[in-house]
Amino acid sequence: MKLEKEFVLREIAGDYVIIPVGKTVIEFNGLITVNEVGVSIWNMLQNEVTFDQIVQGILNEYEVEESVAREDIREFLDKLIDGGILTEDKENGEE
């Protein structure tokens, strides 16, 4: 998985948001609000990473059941994919 467009993570009044920068502002109208887990995932996505590596990172950082982590991570990543922010390579061990 890798980020495709220019986006930055910012903390605004105690909330974390992912916002577009540069020419991406024209293509992506809006922002994405994320929680602390979303921030952790976003930070992992700064490097090319697989779904399983993200799951393992979250399991190492938070007390959560693996099945719950996988479902929540998939939902978050799907939002990023739907927004054109993230692409994934199905051949690299990802679901």
Side-chain angles (χ1 to χ4, degrees):
M1 295 184 186
K2 79 176 186 178
L3 296 171
E4 282 297 314
K5 299 194 180 226
E6 296 180 27
F7 288 82
V8 294
L9 176 71
R10 294 286 185 254
E11 182 181 355
I12 301 173
D15 292 325
Y16 293 98
V17 293
I18 298 170
I19 56 175
V21 295
K23 293 180 182 178
T24 306
V25 172
I26 297 168
E27 300 167 13
F28 187 91
N29 186 15
L31 52 86
I32 298 172
T33 304
V34 296
N35 60 18
E36 286 185 29
V37 177
V39 171
S40 295
I41 295 170
W42 181 261
N43 289 334
M44 286 184 250
L45 290 170
Q46 298 309 302
N47 300 301
E48 202 162 323
V49 65
T50 66
F51 179 80
D52 287 336
Q53 289 169 328
I54 293 171
V55 170
Q56 192 57 55
I58 293 302
L59 292 176
N60 290 342
E61 193 170 343
Y62 298 95
E63 288 189 34
V64 61
E65 290 185 28
E66 184 173 346
S67 62
V68 173
R70 284 184 174 277
E71 184 177 324
D72 291 350
I73 292 166
R74 174 51 54 202
E75 183 180 324
F76 178 69
L77 295 178
D78 285 346
K79 286 181 184 179
L80 296 181
I81 291 166
D82 290 345
I85 300 167
L86 179 71
T87 59
E88 66 179 333
D89 181 357
K90 296 281 187 186
E91 296 180 17
N92 283 337
E94 298 162 18
E95 290 186 343

